[in-house]
């Protein structure tokens, strides 16, 4: 399965059905009167966050979504059927933007959240609706209102507790493969990882999600290499694990290069708690290891962890440090009620409850 984290989609809600102009005509009823029914309401376009998806690849093959129109009203006071809704199923963590790609419509961060992207048009009134004591035979009806149409952008930001950052070949994929069941591609050349990978790590019977993104190089914020387009997938993490390979000639410079790219990207990535680790230490002797550890400590201002995914040295300590920060951040977050998303005069909660629903008639 290919990884796709951005997609452009065209949506259109259904038009409302027209009201009917009809009069009751029966043999033994002299004054039958109007009996034209109302038109049905057009279908809505919804988006829903579901479990089991981690890519927007489905929207590569289908970019147009249209709800059905409402059925026209008919005689004998028969109201037209409402149009069927259309639901776009997206991974948890998907953001919906307007066509300008800057105005956010909604951010679906929890499973089961739903949001109405386009309301269907209201059905028109039939002539029976306009009957009054002074106008007992109206011969007109309302047409149905048109639905909404727009182009939107879907942007996926993966939900993870901790994110791995570093230069290419810093050992991020190897780290992920050694502590989780994820099986990312691992090879001895730059940019082996071409898309983010997720894995569930376990330490002391506690689980948390790790996200591995492609490596950053100098100038990534200007589009050099793969660029910084995947940094959005670590925006939601609670802590960053910055890996610096012990095979780098200047580990301090390698650390500062990635740190500069994170600062250039912005979005408060540099404000997140950071754990620094010197990886691939199995290739060094003790003298060289001490030298590079001190150099990295001067660059980052803290004592880095020393880890080797091959021998397992220091891996448990790093996982515990990540776990402690994640647990601390989770404890600071106050339990909140399921978020409610507002669209015009309709409020749709995570449980799918509707409040102050819009009137079905214009």
């Amino acid at each position: 399965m290919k990884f796709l984290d951005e997609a452009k989609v065209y949506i259109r809600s259904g038009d409302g059905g027209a009201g009917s102009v009809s009069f009751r005509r029966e043999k033994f009823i002299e004054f039958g009167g109007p009996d034209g029914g109302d038109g049905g309401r057009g279908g809505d376009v919804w988006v829903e966050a579901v479990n089991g998806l981690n890519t927007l690849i489905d929207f590569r093959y289908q970019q147009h979504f249209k709800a059905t129109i409402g059925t026209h009203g008919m005689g004998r006071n028969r109201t037209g059927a409402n149009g069927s809704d259309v639901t776009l199923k997206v991974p948890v963590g998907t953001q919906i933007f307007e066509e300008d790609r800057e105005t956010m419509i909604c951010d679906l961060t929890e499973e089961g959240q739903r949001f109405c992207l386009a309301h269907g048009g209201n059905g028109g009134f039939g002539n029976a609706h306009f009957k009054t004591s002074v106008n007992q035979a109206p011969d007109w009806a309302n047409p149905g209102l048109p639905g909404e149409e727009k182009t939107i952008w879907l942007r996926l930001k993966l939900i993870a507790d901790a994110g791995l950052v570093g230069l290419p070949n810093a050992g991020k994929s190897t780290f992920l493969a050694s502590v989780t069941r994820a099986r990312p591609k691992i090879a001895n050349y730059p940019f082996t990882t071409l898309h983010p990978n997720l894995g569930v790590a376990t330490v002391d019977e506690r689980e948390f999600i790790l996200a591995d993104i492609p490596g950053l190089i100098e100038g990534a914020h200007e589009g050099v290499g793969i660029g910084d387009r995947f940094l959005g997938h670590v925006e939601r993490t609670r802590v960053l694990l910055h890996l610096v390979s012990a095979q780098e000639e200047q580990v301090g410079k390698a650390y500062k290069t990635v740190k500069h790219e994170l600062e250039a990207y912005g979005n408060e990535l540099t404000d997140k708690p950071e754990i620094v680790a010197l990886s691939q230490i199995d290739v060094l002797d003790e003298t060289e290891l001490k030298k590079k550890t001190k150099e990295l400590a001067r660059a980052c201002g803290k004592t880095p962890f020393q880890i080797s995914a091959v021998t397992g040295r220091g891996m448990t300590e790093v996982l515990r440090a990540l776990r402690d920060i994640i647990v601390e951040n989770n404890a600071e977050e106050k339990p909140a009620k399921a978020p409610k998303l507002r669209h015009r005069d309709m409020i749709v909660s995570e449980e799918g409850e509707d409040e102050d629903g819009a009137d079905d008639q214009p």
Side-chain angles (χ1 to χ4, degrees):
M1 178 184 295
K2 294 184 178 180
F3 183 84
L4 189 70
D5 61 352
E6 193 171 61
K8 185 179 182 180
V9 175
Y10 169 84
I11 60 173
R12 178 177 173 82
S13 58
D15 297 337
S20 172
V21 177
S22 175
F23 292 90
R24 182 180 180 185
R25 292 181 176 87
E26 296 185 28
K27 185 175 182 180
F28 298 106
I29 300 180
E30 184 177 3
F31 302 105
D35 65 350
D38 301 336
R41 194 174 188 279
D44 300 330
V45 179
W46 293 81
V47 61
E48 180 180 2
V50 298
N51 193 15
L53 295 178
N54 57 8
T55 176
L56 299 173
I57 190 64
D58 293 340
F59 299 97
R60 182 173 183 177
Y61 307 105
Q62 181 181 359
Q63 294 90 27
H64 292 74
F65 295 86
K66 298 179 182 179
T68 58
I69 65 174
T71 305
H72 299 319
M74 293 172 283
R76 300 183 182 178
N77 291 313
R78 288 177 291 179
T79 300
N82 293 335
S84 301
D85 296 342
V86 169
T87 302
L88 284 64
K89 297 186 181 297
V90 298
V92 177
T94 301
Q95 296 176 329
I96 314 296
F97 290 87
E98 296 283 3
E99 191 173 5
D100 59 7
R101 305 178 70 170
E102 296 180 356
T103 306
M104 183 184 297
I105 300 175
C106 65
D107 188 2
L108 306 177
T109 58
E110 297 184 17
E111 181 184 353
Q113 279 186 329
R114 302 178 75 239
F115 187 80
C116 186
L117 297 173
H119 279 295
N122 290 331
F125 290 129
N127 66 336
H129 179 84
F130 300 103
K131 179 182 177 181
T132 64
S133 60
V134 296
N135 185 10
Q136 298 186 9
D139 58 354
W140 67 87
N142 281 347
L145 297 181
E148 302 175 8
E149 61 177 328
K150 64 175 71 175
T151 299
I152 59 173
W153 282 89
L154 311 180
R155 188 176 302 162
L156 173 62
K157 292 183 179 179
L158 297 176
I159 303 294
D161 299 308
L164 303 177
V165 296
L167 291 173
N169 280 16
K172 301 186 298 297
S173 297
T174 305
F175 181 91
L176 183 70
S178 63
V179 300
T180 72
R181 290 188 177 182
R183 291 297 174 261
K185 185 177 180 180
I186 300 174
N188 190 25
Y189 56 84
F191 299 112
T192 308
T193 301
L194 297 177
H195 58 79
N197 295 297
L198 290 178
V200 180
T202 305
V203 59
D204 299 334
E205 299 183 352
R206 189 173 186 92
E207 296 181 344
F208 58 89
I209 301 175
L210 278 173
D212 169 31
I213 65 171
L216 300 171
I217 61 176
E218 187 174 0
H221 67 282
E222 299 175 348
V224 179
I226 297 181
D228 59 3
R229 65 179 298 255
F230 292 115
L231 276 178
H233 295 287
V234 295
E235 283 186 24
R236 303 182 189 272
T237 59
R238 293 175 171 81
V239 58
L240 297 178
L241 175 58
H242 190 159
L243 297 183
V244 180
S245 174
Q247 300 185 58
E248 296 285 345
E249 291 293 333
Q250 299 176 314
V251 292
K253 181 180 178 181
Y255 170 83
K256 292 180 180 179
T257 297
V258 175
K259 194 70 174 178
H260 173 70
E261 297 304 323
L262 295 178
E263 292 174 352
Y265 178 79
N267 292 339
E268 302 181 351
L269 281 185
T270 55
D271 296 334
K272 293 183 179 295
E274 180 188 55
I275 295 177
V276 182
L278 186 65
S279 62
Q280 302 171 344
I281 61 173
D282 51 281
V283 301
L284 301 179
D285 56 29
E286 288 299 323
T287 302
E288 191 69 16
L289 176 60
K290 291 181 180 178
K291 177 182 175 181
K292 291 196 172 184
T293 301
K294 291 181 180 179
E295 179 184 350
L296 182 57
R298 287 195 299 268
C300 66
K302 65 184 76 173
T303 303
F305 287 86
Q306 300 174 349
I307 64 172
S308 171
V310 175
T311 64
R313 177 178 172 182
M315 299 293 284
T316 302
E317 289 75 8
V318 169
L319 291 178
R320 286 173 175 167
L322 292 172
R323 176 207 60 190
D324 293 342
I325 294 177
I326 293 170
V327 171
E328 181 181 355
N329 288 347
N330 288 341
E332 292 177 356
E333 292 181 359
K334 296 180 180 180
K337 188 179 179 181
K340 294 185 176 181
L341 302 173
R342 184 179 296 273
H343 180 74
R344 290 188 177 175
D345 54 349
M346 179 177 290
I347 301 176
V348 182
S349 69
E350 183 178 338
E351 293 81 2
E353 298 174 349
D354 293 352
E355 301 176 6
D356 298 330
D359 191 0
D360 287 341
Q361 301 292 351

